[in-house]
Amino acid sequence: MVFLPMSYIYGGKYVYDGDDLIDQLKDELYGEGVYDTIRFSDYRLEGNDIDDHSPPSWYMKAAFQMCSIYEKLSGWIPKVRGYCMDKVLDHIRFEDRFTNYICIGPVNKAINMLCEFYASDGQSLAFQQHQERIYDYLWLSRDGMKMQGYNGSQLWDTAFMLQAMLELDQHLFRFESEIEKAADFIYNTQVLENLPGYKSYYRHQSQGAWPFSTRTHGWPISDCTAEGLRCCLLLRDIEFVDNVEISRLEDAVDVILSLQNADGGWASYENKRGGDWVELFNPVSCFEGIMVDYSYCECSSACIQSLCLWREMFPEYRSEDIEFVFITSYLLIVLVHLLRMG
């Protein structure tokens, strides 16, 4: 999601002319008058050893060289560059619409907004909507303005707080108002529909899922969906709380089942869509294991626990699929344990 808008900016060779502030930042970061003397292409594969968690592979270096050659020849084939730029911009704009211009996080939010500025000369409605959503990430601390790494953790926090309150049993009446409000928030945060054409943009289904923060953000996440479903199931035993429709809970079960990976576990946003070999083309040296969405213990645990509770309360819906999930997960866990034991 970050490389997508970066490729658009690079492909269009968009450059800001600069001003006094930019000049001051250059001098502060690189030394006074040094910036204009640096040939940055000479340092493409350089980095501090402390940050070098994923050194570029031979394949990645070869890919860089091929891209450099293409850049030199791209002037001869402008139609290909134009087609690719339009395709990338289309995917960027889908992400903007999908998240109501919040985007999955603040980094691609900022670059997506920059792409929209250059694509429309800052005159489009989409660019205006981007500007309005900047404040979803900004907050003022005692030592100045900050940008947070997500637009919040509202659903995640509320789900665990609600589950904790529901453990009070005979003391529930003391928190009746708080439980009602929490239940209402969780009900209203569930994503109720897929965005049209989502498969064409390589997205997973979102209908029935819960996001990490708000429904406006919209990105479906496996463990958030599991915790949202678990809350809805636990609330069905609470007399003073209205129940959500069963069809919506069935949608959540569908999402969880669809997110199980071939290794028996669950990733976060989507299935693992490629092999480990894709990491050979990881262009970011400071992060490793980022090219596909791998299975995580926490996500897998949350999904299995919620499916267990669902099967206890509604054993008739997709019971065979859920049983198969449990069997495959158990067998794969045993297999991994035996392999580690040698």
Side-chain angles (χ1 to χ4, degrees), residues 93-294:
R93 286 174 167 169
F94 179 85
E95 159 71 357
D96 294 341
R97 296 192 305 271
F98 181 80
T99 60
N100 295 283
Y101 299 89
I102 297 173
C103 299
I104 195 173
V107 179
N108 79 314
K109 157 68 179 176
I111 313 177
N112 279 20
M113 183 167 64
L114 190 61
C115 292
E116 185 59 44
F117 172 82
Y118 283 119
S120 65
D121 199 26
Q123 301 301 311
S124 67
L125 176 61
F127 181 68
Q128 296 177 28
Q129 292 172 309
H130 256 302
Q131 290 178 295
E132 294 169 359
R133 283 298 185 179
I134 292 176
Y135 302 101
D136 286 65
Y137 290 106
L138 298 179
W139 62 284
L140 188 60
S141 181
R142 290 179 296 179
D143 56 346
M145 183 70 72
K146 304 291 181 68
M147 176 173 280
Q148 53 193 19
Y150 218 77
N151 74 317
S153 54
Q154 295 90 318
L155 182 280
W156 188 248
D157 297 339
T158 304
F160 285 120
M161 289 296 295
L162 178 59
Q163 291 180 45
M165 287 190 288
L166 294 179
E167 291 292 325
L168 296 173
D169 294 330
Q170 66 268 27
H171 299 287
L172 284 177
F173 69 93
R174 299 173 58 186
F175 300 97
E176 184 172 327
S177 176
E178 289 80 3
I179 291 174
E180 288 178 341
K181 291 178 181 178
D184 186 60
F185 177 79
I186 289 175
Y187 293 164
N188 290 328
T189 305
Q190 186 182 19
V191 181
L192 302 181
E193 59 185 5
N194 294 311
L195 204 62
Y198 71 98
K199 291 184 179 180
S200 300
Y201 295 91
Y202 311 103
R203 300 300 181 92
H204 201 84
Q205 71 178 82
S206 52
Q207 180 177 332
W210 270 273
F212 185 64
S213 55
T214 62
R215 187 166 73 182
T216 309
H217 183 280
W219 267 88
I221 305 179
S222 63
D223 54 351
C224 297
T225 301
E227 299 301 342
L229 173 62
R230 182 177 179 83
C231 286
C232 291
L233 293 174
L234 294 174
L235 286 167
R236 300 189 76 82
D237 294 329
I238 308 303
E239 296 180 354
F240 55 82
V241 176
D242 294 331
N243 292 324
V244 70
E245 296 89 339
I246 294 295
S247 60
R248 288 174 54 178
L249 302 185
E250 292 174 347
D251 288 340
V253 172
D254 293 341
V255 170
I256 294 174
L257 291 175
S258 69
L259 282 170
Q260 187 185 26
N261 282 327
D263 61 7
W266 278 261
S268 53
Y269 288 98
E270 62 186 21
N271 300 103
K272 182 183 178 184
R273 296 180 175 181
D276 295 345
W277 62 267
V278 182
E279 296 297 339
L280 294 173
F281 296 94
N282 178 8
V284 182
S285 60
C286 60
F287 298 112
E288 60 180 341
I290 64 169
M291 297 300 287
V292 294
D293 206 355
Y294 297 94

Side-chain angles (χ1 to χ4, degrees), residues 4-135:
L4 192 67
M6 286 180 65
S7 69
Y8 184 84
I9 296 297
Y10 184 83
K13 299 296 188 292
Y14 297 115
V15 179
Y16 178 56
D17 294 332
D19 52 27
D20 291 340
L21 176 60
I22 297 299
D23 291 337
Q24 292 174 27
L25 289 172
K26 289 178 180 178
D27 290 341
E28 179 181 338
L29 293 171
Y30 298 96
E32 187 171 354
V34 175
Y35 181 86
D36 293 330
T37 68
I38 301 174
R39 184 179 173 181
F40 284 96
S41 59
D42 293 340
Y43 302 94
R44 180 179 293 135
L45 301 176
E46 298 295 325
N48 193 300
D49 292 338
I50 298 176
D51 299 323
D52 200 9
H53 299 290
S54 178
S57 66
W58 181 90
Y59 300 96
M60 190 70 254
K61 294 178 181 178
F64 278 144
Q65 292 300 321
M66 293 176 62
C67 289
S68 296
I69 295 172
Y70 170 77
E71 282 300 312
K72 296 176 181 178
L73 301 176
S74 60
W76 300 357
I77 45 177
K79 289 185 179 180
V80 175
R81 174 59 62 94
Y83 170 80
C84 294
M85 292 282 286
D86 291 341
K87 192 73 171 179
V88 169
L89 183 62
D90 182 41
H91 281 259
I92 291 171
R93 286 174 167 169
F94 179 85
E95 159 71 357
D96 294 341
R97 296 192 305 271
F98 181 80
T99 60
N100 295 283
Y101 299 89
I102 297 173
C103 299
I104 195 173
V107 179
N108 79 314
K109 157 68 179 176
I111 313 177
N112 279 20
M113 183 167 64
L114 190 61
C115 292
E116 185 59 44
F117 172 82
Y118 283 119
S120 65
D121 199 26
Q123 301 301 311
S124 67
L125 176 61
F127 181 68
Q128 296 177 28
Q129 292 172 309
H130 256 302
Q131 290 178 295
E132 294 169 359
R133 283 298 185 179
I134 292 176
Y135 302 101

